[in-house]
Amino acid sequence: RISNDLDNLEGASSFIQKYLSGFYDILFSTFLQKLPPPYSLVVGSSVSIFSVYTFISTASLIRPMGEQAKMQLTQDLADFELVTDQFMTRAGGNVSTKALRTVGNGKPYAELRAVRQMLFWTGLEDKGKAATTIAKTLAREVWVRDVRPSTICHYLFSFAPDLLSSPHHWKRLKVEEYVGTLVSLDGDIEEGESLDWMTIMACCDSFKQRESAQSSFLGANSEGMEGDARIAAILMALGPELLQRRRS
């Protein structure tokens, strides 16, 4: 349900209010409450990590991303943080109180907060700026260090022409299926990041071929395509830098 609703965020009520506000209460009372507190805390931490990464990965694939959708998603991210933080507090019981900000070494929480800044990045406004310059400037944004490369790259796809296929479309997968390749059930994300980058490179290579074919066929008329044609070049310049930072 999350992918279907996020694809139609504009004009929709809060996804968190509609589907998730009571979900974690049910999850806690049905399963975690029956476990000894130490085990409940471990399970609760795993659920929270998986939930945060899955929600963000799904949201980053929204395309296009209008201003109303950005505002709605910003509110959803804040609501989601509150819900999962309360869930973690209850999972700890009387033995240990563990806030969301400490789960997974704080990385899921940090990304949840940083994505709100990412949504209002304005680096594409100067239409005359070169793709490599934009990539370098974007890589220096403070919030970038807390966001997975896949999240940033997928968000950039929302500005691209239709000729640049989204990763899940290129793989012919539903959004939820593709997100499942990015985030494992235990919350591991490293393998998914490497696989995603290979898919993004394939998308960009396919775009170059399609763009060349369209230019040959339409000539000057091809310049009127919707979307920012620099996105593929930005992705190819930005991706390796982000992945290198992650490995170092």
Side-chain angles (χ1 to χ4, degrees):
R1 295 298 297 270
I2 184 171
S3 59
N4 292 335
D5 272 57
L6 286 176
D7 280 339
N8 298 283
L9 264 173
E10 293 189 326
S13 59
S14 169
F15 177 85
I16 307 303
Q17 294 172 0
K18 285 181 68 175
Y19 299 115
L20 296 182
S21 60
F23 171 76
Y24 290 99
D25 287 336
I26 296 173
L27 183 63
F28 175 77
S29 61
T30 304
F31 300 104
L32 272 66
Q33 195 171 35
K34 299 176 182 179
L35 297 173
Y39 293 99
S40 175
L41 184 59
V42 171
V43 174
S45 297
S46 296
V47 169
S48 296
I49 292 171
F50 176 80
S51 297
V52 170
Y53 283 143
T54 298
F55 187 87
I56 292 173
S57 290
T58 303
S60 68
L61 288 167
I62 298 171
R63 183 177 178 181
M65 180 81 75
E67 290 303 314
Q68 186 177 349
K70 290 179 183 179
M71 295 300 296
Q72 181 67 67
L73 183 54
T74 299
Q75 182 61 54
D76 277 339
L77 288 165
D79 292 344
F80 187 66
E81 178 185 333
L82 177 62
V83 167
T84 50
D85 193 51
Q86 291 174 341
F87 173 73
M88 278 305 307
T89 300
R90 296 180 68 188
N94 297 323
V95 175
S96 174
T97 299
K98 192 169 186 178
L100 180 64
R101 70 174 65 90
T102 65
V103 173
N105 296 319
K107 292 181 180 180
Y109 174 78
E111 182 165 346
L112 193 61
R113 304 278 292 193
V115 166
R116 294 183 221 175
Q117 295 176 270
M118 180 188 76
L119 290 174
F120 296 96
W121 173 70
T122 58
L124 295 172
E125 289 185 349
D126 185 348
K127 301 302 180 182
K129 188 176 291 186
T132 53
T133 302
I134 294 173
K136 290 178 181 179
T137 303
L138 176 54
R140 290 195 293 267
E141 292 282 349
V142 175
W143 50 265
V144 166
R145 65 176 180 235
D146 294 322
V147 182
R148 284 169 293 157
S150 64
T151 301
I152 299 172
C153 291
H154 294 170
Y155 179 59
L156 288 173
F157 274 87
S158 70
F159 299 98
D162 290 341
L163 288 179
L164 179 58
S165 299
S166 294
H168 61 291
H169 288 155
W170 192 86
K171 297 283 284 188
R172 302 192 181 198
L173 296 173
K174 295 179 181 179
V175 170
E176 59 268 30
E177 293 174 335
Y178 189 75
V179 170
T181 70
L182 299 175
V183 188
S184 65
L185 288 175
D186 63 359
D188 182 72
I189 53 176
E190 296 309 321
E191 183 178 359
E193 289 300 299
S194 298
L195 293 174
D196 179 68
W197 175 240
M198 289 191 289
T199 302
I200 289 173
M201 287 193 293
C203 291
C204 292
D205 183 61
S206 178
F207 169 76
K208 291 178 183 178
Q209 296 178 34
R210 292 174 180 176
E211 185 183 39
S212 177
Q214 179 171 286
S215 296
S216 298
F217 183 72
L218 297 178
N221 293 330
S222 65
E223 297 179 2
M225 72 170 73
E226 294 185 5
D228 196 317
R230 298 172 294 178
I231 296 299
I234 294 171
L235 287 167
M236 294 305 296
L238 180 66
E241 170 67 19
L242 297 181
L243 289 170
Q244 181 60 39
R245 289 185 190 180
R246 192 169 185 85
R247 296 190 186 106
S248 62

